[in-house]
Amino acid sequence: LHAQDVLLKAAAAPLPCQNLHGTLLLKNRALTIKKLACQVGPSTFTLRGTIPKPISFLLKKSPQLHTHLQLAVDNLDIDKLMPPPNKEHTDSKSGNTSAPIGIGIPPPYTLALDYRINDVRYQQFHSQHVRGKLRLNHRKVALEKLQMDLAGGQVHLDSTVNVVPRGLDVSTKAKLQRIDVVQLLHAFKNFDQTFLTSEHIRGELTAESDLNVQVAPQGHVRWNTCQAMIDVALRNGALHNHPLMQQTAQHMSQQSLTHIQIPTLRKRFRIQDGTIHIPPIDMRAGDVHMRLSGTHTLDDKINYGLDIPLAGLKGVDEYLPPMLPKNILDDLQLRLKLQGTSRKYKVTY
C-alpha cells in the first residue's frame, strides 16, 4: 500500500495530518512500515517498523500483539499540537484538571518503540536531542536510556511503571550532568512550589537519584510512599533574597543576608515516607559562616536548624564581661530553629 499526499482530519484532533506519505507492506502475515511520514502543525513525524501477525490479533486468533517501531520527530511543539484544557474542568488557581485520571489495565500487547526528537517544547520546558526507548509489556511500561539536552546540561533517565491493583508503582533512576539550576527550575515552573524558586538559587547541578513512589488509581501521587536517595554536587552555589534568610537576618548583627554563598556542595539527600532529610549544608554570608540542616515534608512542613556563630547574634556583645576577649565567642554556636510551613514559619532559639 502506497500513500502520497493524504490529508486526515478528525473531530477530536485540533490539527489535521497533512502530506501523509509512505509504504506499508503486508507479507508473510507481518505488516512492515517501510516509511510513513506526515506533517501535523509545525511537527514532522516519521515512522518505521514491523507488526508481526496483526490480522491474527484483530481476528482474535492470537492473544498478543507485538509491535516494533522507530519514530523520528524534528520539532515537537506540544502547545501547538494539543488544545488548551477545558475551562469548565480546570482549577483556576493551579491549572490542574479537577477530574482524576483513571488508570486501567492495558490489553495484552507489547510495544518496542525507539524514538528520536530533535526539539521539544511545552510551555516553559525546552529540550533538544531527546532519544531513548519505550517498552510496553502488558502491565509494565519502561522508559529506557532516555537522554536529552536540558538547561545547559544533560539528563539521563531510566524509569519503570508497573500497573497493579492499587494503581501504579513507579521506579526511576536519573542522572543530571552540569545542569543550570535557574534554567531547570524555570523549565518546570519551580515544580509548583514557592519555597525555593529560580529567583532564589544559583549554581551548576550534577546529581544521581534513585526514586520509588506509588500513584493511586485516580491518578494522584501518594507522596507519603516516596522513597529516594539523591547524591547532589553543586558548583558555585548561592542563595539570593531568600525570605527565610531575610527573616533570620533580624536576629543577627549582620543585617544583610541577601547574598549567601554555598561552597562546592557534595551531599546525599534522602526522601523517606514523603519527608526530605537535608544533610548539613555549609553556607557563608560575608564573614559569617552558617550551617543548615533539617527536614522538609512533601506536604510542605519544615523543621530546619540553622547553626550560626554566637558572635554573629545581634546584641550579644552587650552581655559579654569587658575583661573577656571578644573572640571568645568565635568557636561557640547558636542553633536557630525554623518551624512551620514554607509560607508561614517562626524562628526561635
Side-chain angles (χ1 to χ4, degrees):
L1 176 65
H2 299 281
Q4 185 66 36
D5 199 21
V6 177
L7 175 66
L8 296 178
K9 292 183 178 181
L15 297 173
C17 175
Q18 298 177 313
N19 190 26
L20 176 66
H21 60 279
T23 301
L24 303 178
L25 175 65
L26 183 62
K27 185 177 181 180
N28 296 330
R29 297 189 296 176
L31 177 63
T32 300
I33 305 172
K34 288 191 172 183
K35 180 181 178 182
L36 197 61
C38 70
Q39 182 94 22
V40 181
S43 304
T44 300
F45 297 84
T46 304
L47 188 67
R48 293 179 172 86
T50 304
I51 306 176
K53 302 180 181 179
I55 304 300
S56 298
F57 179 80
L58 294 175
L59 296 178
K60 299 183 178 181
K61 292 183 179 182
S62 175
Q64 289 189 327
L65 179 67
H66 305 278
T67 307
H68 308 275
L69 301 173
Q70 297 87 43
L71 175 66
V73 186
D74 62 343
N75 176 26
L76 186 61
D77 193 328
I78 299 176
D79 292 317
K80 294 181 179 179
L81 293 177
M82 297 178 61
N86 191 330
K87 294 183 179 180
E88 296 180 359
H89 301 286
T90 301
D91 187 303
S92 60
K93 293 183 179 180
S94 65
N96 296 326
T97 55
S98 57
I101 301 173
I103 299 172
I105 303 297
Y109 64 85
T110 62
L111 169 67
L113 174 67
D114 298 341
Y115 55 88
R116 185 182 74 254
I117 309 173
N118 290 335
D119 192 276
V120 179
R121 293 179 183 270
Y122 177 62
Q123 297 181 0
Q124 296 174 184
F125 179 89
H126 181 209
S127 178
Q128 294 178 313
H129 307 126
V130 181
R131 55 197 181 276
K133 303 176 185 294
L134 173 65
R135 301 290 183 259
L136 176 60
N137 187 0
H138 193 15
R139 300 183 183 182
K140 180 178 179 180
V141 180
L143 284 173
E144 300 175 354
K145 299 180 179 179
L146 170 61
Q147 301 179 43
M148 68 177 76
D149 295 343
L150 176 69
Q154 284 193 329
V155 175
H156 303 260
L157 185 142
D158 289 274
S159 184
T160 302
V161 180
N162 286 291
V163 181
V164 294
R166 62 174 178 269
L168 299 177
D169 286 343
V170 182
S171 178
T172 300
K173 292 185 177 181
K175 184 176 181 180
L176 284 65
Q177 294 179 314
R178 303 176 70 88
I179 296 291
D180 184 280
V181 176
V182 175
Q183 295 183 40
L184 178 69
L185 290 172
H186 178 76
F188 289 96
K189 295 185 175 181
N190 295 312
F191 297 98
D192 197 28
Q193 53 85 39
T194 59
F195 183 72
L196 192 64
T197 71
S198 58
E199 297 180 355
H200 298 141
I201 191 168
R202 304 288 187 272
E204 182 184 88
L205 175 67
T206 296
E208 290 190 31
S209 67
D210 190 346
L211 180 145
N212 296 277
V213 71
Q214 295 177 5
V215 180
Q218 294 78 15
H220 63 267
V221 180
R222 294 189 176 115
W223 289 115
N224 62 325
T225 67
C226 183
Q227 313 285 336
M229 300 294 289
I230 309 171
D231 293 318
V232 173
L234 183 67
R235 294 179 66 249
N236 301 322
L239 286 177
H240 292 279
N241 297 313
H242 196 281
L244 185 148
M245 291 302 167
Q246 298 307 309
Q247 184 170 343
T248 303
Q250 300 175 14
H251 303 270
M252 301 180 65
S253 58
Q254 179 163 329
Q255 290 294 318
S256 177
L257 292 181
T258 300
H259 179 74
I260 297 177
Q261 294 179 326
I262 304 174
T264 300
L265 172 70
R266 292 184 180 274
K267 295 288 184 177
R268 169 168 287 186
F269 292 73
R270 178 170 55 92
I271 302 177
Q272 184 173 1
D273 300 327
T275 299
I276 306 172
H277 296 264
I278 300 169
I281 299 175
D282 293 320
M283 303 182 296
R284 185 176 71 249
D287 295 331
V288 178
H289 293 259
M290 301 172 288
R291 176 171 289 179
L292 179 72
S293 61
T295 61
H296 195 146
T297 66
L298 295 177
D299 59 356
D300 200 33
K301 294 182 177 65
I302 66 172
N303 185 7
Y304 288 114
L306 181 65
D307 296 328
I308 63 174
L310 193 59
L313 190 65
K314 182 188 297 184
V316 71
D317 291 342
E318 299 176 4
Y319 301 96
L320 189 67
M323 71 285 297
L324 295 178
K326 292 185 177 181
N327 61 0
I328 194 173
L329 300 177
D330 290 349
D331 295 329
L332 299 179
Q333 299 285 321
L334 175 70
R335 165 155 288 206
L336 300 179
K337 293 183 178 179
L338 303 100
Q339 297 172 314
T341 68
S342 64
R343 297 179 182 272
K344 186 177 181 180
Y345 50 85
K346 61 180 181 179
V347 181
T348 58
Y349 298 139

